[in-house]
Amino acid sequence: ARTIYLNKTGFNGMYRVNQKGEFNIPMTSAKNPSLYDKNNILSCSEKLQGVKLSHGDYRKCLEKAKKGDFVYLDPPYYPISKTASFTSYTGNSFLEEEHVRLARYCKELDKRGCLFLQSNSHCDFVEELYSDFSLSTIKVRRNIAANKESRGKISEFVIYNY
């Protein structure tokens, strides 16, 4: 309930924490934000029956992954420009070395028989890291930018092993 509330009342639906791990997004300017869609929540609840969701440091979560599990990975994207370097919202930076480590974890997941899906930057570095897997390019609308004119569709990679 708190996550839904923060999503609907925070600026542009963002969720971000500072280096102390504290939520730090300003409130939306919407006068009456729609807090929830009852039918959607009930539908999601139905689909998630019997599913165990985990979140946290990917290394800890992936230790538990076993054959047949599905793992979705949404790391801080590899920076493709100086203004798109969102790698350290918390005290732990996620730089090139961490992306290489994550790619090794994906190879381990694959060996274990886990299915995984990851989204990341559309760039040569990411393409090279995940060349053993399927990569699809998708266009994604970016609604979060200080300047409204810089919002628009950009390419991203979806990386998967199935």
Side-chain angles (χ1 to χ4, degrees):
R2 179 175 45 187
T3 300
I4 293 170
Y5 175 80
L6 291 173
N7 174 261
K8 298 298 183 179
T9 61
F11 177 74
N12 277 347
M14 289 178 61
Y15 185 91
R16 179 182 65 203
V17 295
N18 60 22
Q19 292 193 351
K20 295 178 184 175
E22 300 164 336
F23 182 75
N24 73 343
I25 296 296
M27 296 291 287
T28 181
S29 60
K31 299 276 187 239
N32 295 308
S34 172
L35 294 181
Y36 68 95
D37 173 342
K38 180 180 177 181
N39 291 332
N40 184 47
I41 289 174
L42 291 174
S43 177
C44 290
S45 174
E46 182 182 317
K47 300 283 189 222
L48 291 171
Q49 293 302 305
V51 172
K52 182 177 180 192
L53 298 174
S54 299
H55 77 282
D57 184 294
Y58 75 93
R59 292 166 292 198
K60 293 276 187 213
C61 290
L62 298 184
E63 285 174 7
K64 301 173 188 175
K66 59 190 179 313
K67 184 176 182 169
D69 283 354
F70 174 79
V71 178
Y72 174 67
L73 300 155
D74 187 21
Y77 285 14
Y78 185 76
I80 54 175
S81 71
K82 289 183 188 222
T83 59
S85 184
F86 306 113
T87 60
S88 56
Y89 286 132
T90 66
N92 303 317
S93 294
F94 204 96
L95 302 173
E96 191 166 299
E97 179 181 309
E98 202 62 30
H99 279 279
V100 170
R101 187 175 293 123
L102 178 58
R104 283 196 303 262
Y105 272 82
C106 287
K107 288 178 183 177
E108 177 59 32
L109 286 172
D110 190 56
K111 285 181 193 170
R112 282 192 232 164
C114 300
L115 303 176
F116 78 86
L117 174 70
Q118 180 190 151
S119 50
N120 212 320
S121 299
H122 191 278
C123 64
D124 292 342
F125 176 74
V126 170
E127 187 172 22
E128 191 175 313
L129 271 181
Y130 294 95
S131 61
D132 294 340
F133 301 110
S134 298
L135 285 92
S136 293
T137 301
I138 60 171
K139 290 285 191 180
V140 179
R141 179 170 301 283
R142 284 288 167 250
N143 293 322
I144 300 169
N147 182 350
K148 205 173 198 177
E149 286 73 41
S150 64
R151 298 176 187 175
K153 289 193 173 188
I154 63 161
S155 293
E156 285 186 3
F157 275 132
V158 175
I159 306 152
Y160 52 99
N161 68 337
Y162 52 90

